[in-house]
């Protein structure tokens, strides 16, 4: 392996004489099998990296990027937990940095102006951050993803969205400092005062500007318990009205978590009513549905945090007051009281179940997008009620987010609309021949995207995936110039994150 690396780095690169960085790379790295970086969760792309390196420190990341910079063709992809769908963390014939090697350190609590923060590694999983923060400090981050088997660096390179985003913004809005290794191989501490452009560029930056080796995350007191509730709507208008009301309530007056999803209006075990109850002791009674209900139903999912010292009458009163303002279908309501940690780890149970059924490792042609409030009713009519009326074999998320919680200085782009909806088609389908061909599902995703363009919807892809620069320019719109400028400043040889397919190596030189 090392001989091969030497051959590639020098043998293919007559312009670059051997130097110390490259030799130190060969002698001082641990290598992982290439196979770990040749696939991702999407299961639709594969690539063969030159080598997978395990950096244990920021200095190791610096060494690897500097070594690649001495060549004319080598690229470097930081790989978080490889939970991308379309090969975004891959590097064909390049170096992949297995960031999980850095996961354990740093882990440090500190107070900034009296507010608790934790410094964690870019390679730490959110699940690890949760468990360590609760057990060591009884404190937790404020903004999450639904599934916590994702790395800090991976979600901060996108946004990190869940049912707390309406209140605290995406995870990128809950970070006050980063340590980043740029594409020039320089390591910087950055925040909104110091190296601020690198800080803002890296948040939602699709890994284009640097490798995030450390993040400083805002913490709050850990709640003990969660009242977890699901209510059902037959009318999309009622659903969106209530969801939008809930996400605009002032902090302290509303729920702590607001999400929602679409199900087929039938008893299909993967796509219909049976997916709504939260436990086997709960039963969905379709008799309560109005006869006007269409092909799909909408489920609003809510959670209220509380301390175990709270009196249940206080929790009940608050929940009843909030639910009293909603127009869900009477007679269909599910609720449960669960430990806060169990609530945050709820998708881990889905993972275990999906693994047992063999659909966790199957291809996942997922689609994530943000659609503005002004177009969401048309989206419902054209997409949920027509194209997806039988479901996607997994959750179809749709819930509102507030534009005011997103920072325009970050690299991620969202629709210009005070309220926009996240839509996520999270397909869990057995691989062919049991399930439909993956190409067909990808084609359905593309048809939905095309429909949005044709109808002139105000939308953006989340976790975007494009293969032409023209499409990337359209995605970023008037932010494209800034994106390119940032690339020129921080990764002028376009070494980093080649799997995003935005720039090619040396393109900007
Ligand atoms: P990877 O897939 O390994 O990497 C993603 C990109 O980030 C790549 O370009 C990579 O090069 C870059 N990158 C990785 N680490 C670093 C680093 N340290 N520094 C710089 N760049 C880096 N997203 C949400 O917002 N909310 C959700 O609720 C949610 N749930 C999900 C559930 C599942 C089951 C899955 C598979 C995905 C989910 N996602 C969700 C999407 C997820 O946030 C992204 O796919 C994320 O990129 C995956 O993180 P990862 O650590 O596996 O990153």
């Amino acid at each position: 392996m090392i001989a091969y690396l030497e051959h590639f780095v020098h043998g293919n690169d007559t312009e670059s004489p051997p130097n110390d960085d490259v030799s130190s790379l060969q002698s001082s790295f641990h290598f992982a099998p290439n196979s770990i970086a040749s696939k991702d969760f999407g299961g639709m792309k594969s690539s063969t990296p030159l080598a997978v390196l395990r950096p244990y420190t920021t200095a190791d990341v610096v060494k690897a990027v500097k070594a690649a910079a001495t060549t004319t063709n080598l690229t470097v992809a930081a790989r978080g937990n490889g939970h991308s769908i379309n090969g975004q963390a891959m590097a064909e014939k390049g170096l992949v940095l297995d960031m999980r090697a850095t996961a354990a350190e740093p882990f440090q609590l500190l107070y900034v102006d009296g507010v608790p923060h934790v410094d964690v590694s870019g390679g730490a999983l959110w699940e690890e951050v949760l468990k360590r923060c609760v057990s060591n400090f009884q404190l937790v981050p404020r903004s999450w993803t639904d599934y916590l088997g994702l790395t800090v660096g991976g979600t901060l390179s996108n946004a990190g969205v869940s049912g707390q985003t309406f209140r605290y913004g995406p995870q990128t809005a809950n970070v006050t400092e980063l340590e980043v290794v740029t594409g020039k191989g320089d390591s910087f501490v950055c925040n909104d005062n110091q190296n601020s452009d690198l800080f803002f560029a890296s948040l939602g930056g699709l890994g284009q500007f640097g490798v995030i080796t450390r993040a400083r995350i805002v913490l709050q007191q850990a709640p003990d318990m969660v009242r977890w509730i699901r209510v059902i709507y037959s009318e999309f208008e009622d659903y969106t009205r209530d969801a939008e009301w809930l996400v605009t309530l002032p902090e302290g007056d509303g729920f702590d978590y607001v999400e929602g999803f679409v199900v087929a209006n039938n008893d299909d075990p993967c796509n219909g009513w049976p997916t709504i109850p939260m436990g086997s002791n709960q039963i969905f009674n379709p008799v309560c549905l109005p006869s006007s209900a269409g092909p799909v139903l909408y489920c609003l999912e809510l959670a209220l945090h509380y301390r175990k010292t709270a009196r249940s009458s206080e929790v009940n009163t608050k929940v009843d007051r909030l639910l009293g303002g909603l127009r869900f279908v009477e007679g269909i309501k599910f609720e449960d009281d669960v430990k806060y940690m169990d609530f945050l780890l709820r998708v881990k149970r889905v993972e275990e179940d999906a693994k047992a059924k063999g659909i966790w490792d199957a291809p996942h042609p997922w689609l994530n997008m943000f659609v503005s409030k002004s177009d969401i009713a048309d989206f419902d009519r054209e997409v949920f009620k027509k194209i997806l009326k039988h479901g996607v074999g997994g959750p179809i998320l749709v819930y509102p987010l507030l534009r005011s919680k997103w920072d325009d200085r970050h690299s991620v782009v969202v629709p210009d609309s005070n309220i926009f909806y996240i839509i996520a088609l999270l397909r869990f389908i057995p691989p062919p021949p049991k399930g439909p061909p993956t190409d067909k599902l990808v084609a359905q995703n593309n048809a939905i995207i095309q429909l949005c363009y044709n109808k002139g919807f105000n939308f953006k892809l989340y976790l975007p995936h494009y293969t032409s620069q023209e499409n990337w320019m359209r995605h970023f719109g008037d932010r494209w110039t800034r994106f390119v400028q940032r690339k020129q400043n921080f990764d002028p040889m376009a070494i980093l994150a080649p799997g995003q397919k935005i720039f090619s190596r040396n393109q900007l030189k």
Side-chain angles (χ1 to χ4, degrees):
M1 157 91 76
I2 291 177
Y4 177 51
L5 181 63
E6 184 157 42
H7 163 78
F8 188 88
V9 169
H10 299 308
N12 282 3
D13 182 6
T14 46
E15 285 171 35
S16 308
N19 65 31
D20 288 339
D21 288 324
V22 170
S23 23
S24 64
L25 177 74
Q26 293 158 23
S27 57
S28 61
F29 267 96
H30 288 94
F31 291 83
N34 279 6
S35 55
I36 75 149
S38 61
K39 287 195 300 187
D40 62 15
F41 184 81
M44 297 177 291
K45 308 270 179 221
S46 67
S47 101
T48 310
L50 175 70
V52 182
L53 311 181
R54 293 218 156 111
Y56 291 104
T57 61
T58 301
D60 287 345
V61 175
V62 166
K63 218 180 283 175
V65 176
K66 283 203 163 150
T70 63
T71 73
T72 56
N73 53 358
L74 213 48
T75 55
V76 176
R79 184 182 197 271
N81 208 21
H83 276 49
S84 290
I85 298 300
N86 289 293
Q88 285 94 332
M90 292 179 184
E92 177 67 26
K93 296 197 176 79
L95 301 178
V96 173
L97 304 181
D98 175 9
M99 296 303 291
R100 293 286 297 126
T102 69
E105 297 295 336
F107 183 77
Q108 170 94 44
L109 177 71
L110 66 154
Y111 284 81
V112 181
D113 298 332
V115 178
H117 289 67
V118 68
D119 277 354
V120 296
S121 160
L125 295 181
W126 285 101
E127 178 179 340
E128 294 163 349
V129 174
L130 169 70
K131 288 178 175 166
R132 291 180 80 175
C133 281
V134 169
S135 64
N136 286 300
F137 324 123
Q138 275 302 306
L139 295 167
V140 280
R142 308 183 302 183
S143 184
W144 295 97
T145 47
D146 294 341
Y147 172 66
L148 306 189
L150 311 167
T151 63
V152 169
T155 69
L156 294 183
S157 298
N158 286 290
V161 178
S162 185
Q164 307 81 12
T165 306
F166 76 93
R167 171 151 309 142
Y168 298 115
Q171 291 180 314
T172 40
N174 291 274
V175 172
T176 60
E177 186 170 289
L178 296 173
E179 180 187 70
V180 176
V181 177
T182 66
K184 297 177 185 171
D186 299 320
S187 162
F188 292 103
V189 170
C190 55
N191 52 46
D192 65 2
N193 288 316
Q194 187 185 352
N195 301 309
S196 57
D197 200 35
L198 179 60
F199 179 65
F200 297 129
S202 302
L203 294 168
L206 305 174
Q208 293 303 303
F209 311 111
V211 178
I212 298 169
T213 48
R214 172 176 67 79
R216 179 165 295 171
I217 297 160
V218 182
L219 300 178
Q220 61 179 195
Q221 196 173 43
D224 299 312
M225 297 293 293
V226 163
R227 172 74 52 89
W228 184 11
I229 300 161
R230 287 181 179 169
V231 290
I232 306 304
Y233 291 77
S234 61
E235 303 304 319
F236 193 60
E237 201 187 335
D238 293 339
Y239 173 77
T240 52
R241 190 206 70 133
D242 284 359
E244 289 175 20
W245 175 66
L246 289 171
V247 300
T248 47
L249 287 174
E251 187 168 352
D253 285 359
F255 286 106
D256 296 295
Y257 164 102
V258 177
E259 281 205 11
F261 54 95
V262 181
V263 300
N265 185 5
N266 60 36
D267 62 357
D268 182 291
C270 297
N271 297 290
W273 320 314
T275 59
I276 297 173
M278 284 121 66
S280 50
N281 55 339
Q282 299 178 339
I283 302 213
F284 187 97
N285 184 359
V287 170
C288 300
L289 290 172
S291 55
S292 58
V296 295
L297 302 172
Y298 312 92
C299 176
L300 194 56
E301 182 174 66
L302 309 163
L304 186 78
H305 299 164
Y306 61 91
R307 306 303 309 270
K308 53 182 179 239
T309 49
R311 286 212 301 269
S312 65
S313 60
E314 284 168 34
V315 179
N316 293 343
T317 305
K318 184 162 183 186
V319 167
D320 290 347
R321 179 176 56 75
L322 286 166
L323 293 184
L326 306 183
R327 290 190 202 168
F328 56 90
V329 174
E330 239 178 274
I332 312 184
K333 182 178 85 174
F334 302 97
E335 56 186 331
D336 202 358
D337 288 276
V338 292
K339 288 190 181 134
Y340 175 72
M341 184 96 95
D342 290 343
F343 177 71
L344 284 188
L345 292 171
R346 64 200 179 281
V347 183
K348 199 174 173 69
R349 295 191 289 278
V350 177
E351 173 180 357
E352 284 155 11
D353 193 40
K355 278 185 172 157
K357 288 183 183 145
I359 48 175
W360 187 259
D361 295 321
H364 296 101
W366 286 10
L367 177 65
N368 289 270
M369 60 207 302
F370 298 126
V371 176
S372 80
K373 166 185 161 79
S374 57
D375 295 316
I376 199 68
D378 285 342
F379 190 94
D380 168 60
R381 197 165 30 249
E382 299 295 331
V383 180
F384 295 146
K385 288 198 174 91
K386 289 185 188 162
I387 304 177
L388 301 179
K389 65 180 175 198
H390 301 301
V392 298
I396 303 179
L397 305 184
V398 54
Y399 58 91
L401 302 171
L402 302 179
R403 181 78 176 76
S404 59
K405 303 288 180 179
W406 295 66
D407 191 329
D408 279 340
R409 295 170 298 180
H410 298 175
S411 292
V412 63
V413 285
V414 296
D416 201 7
S417 162
N418 290 346
I419 293 182
F420 59 90
Y421 283 74
I422 181 162
I423 289 166
L425 311 187
L426 308 178
R427 304 171 186 274
F428 280 97
I429 302 235
K434 263 181 135 185
T438 309
D439 291 358
K440 212 172 149 190
L441 303 175
V442 171
Q444 189 179 62
N445 290 345
N446 290 339
I448 292 168
I449 296 169
Q450 197 52 51
L451 182 142
C452 293
Y453 282 126
N454 295 347
K455 297 261 173 200
F457 289 173
N458 180 3
F459 81 104
K460 295 286 176 195
L461 292 192
Y462 175 48
L463 312 167
H465 156 63
Y466 296 109
T467 46
S468 77
Q469 202 167 70
E470 199 189 342
N471 282 334
W472 280 112
M473 287 168 79
R474 177 160 68 168
H475 174 75
F476 283 105
D478 59 9
R479 303 279 172 78
W480 173 247
T481 313
R482 183 182 75 178
F483 199 82
V484 173
Q485 189 59 56
R486 286 174 164 176
K487 188 73 174 173
Q488 265 158 349
N489 291 346
F490 302 121
D491 182 23
M493 289 185 277
I495 288 172
L496 300 175
Q500 298 279 4
K501 301 206 177 329
I502 308 176
F503 302 100
S504 41
R505 178 74 158 89
N506 288 328
Q507 186 188 333
L508 297 163
K509 249 182 27 177

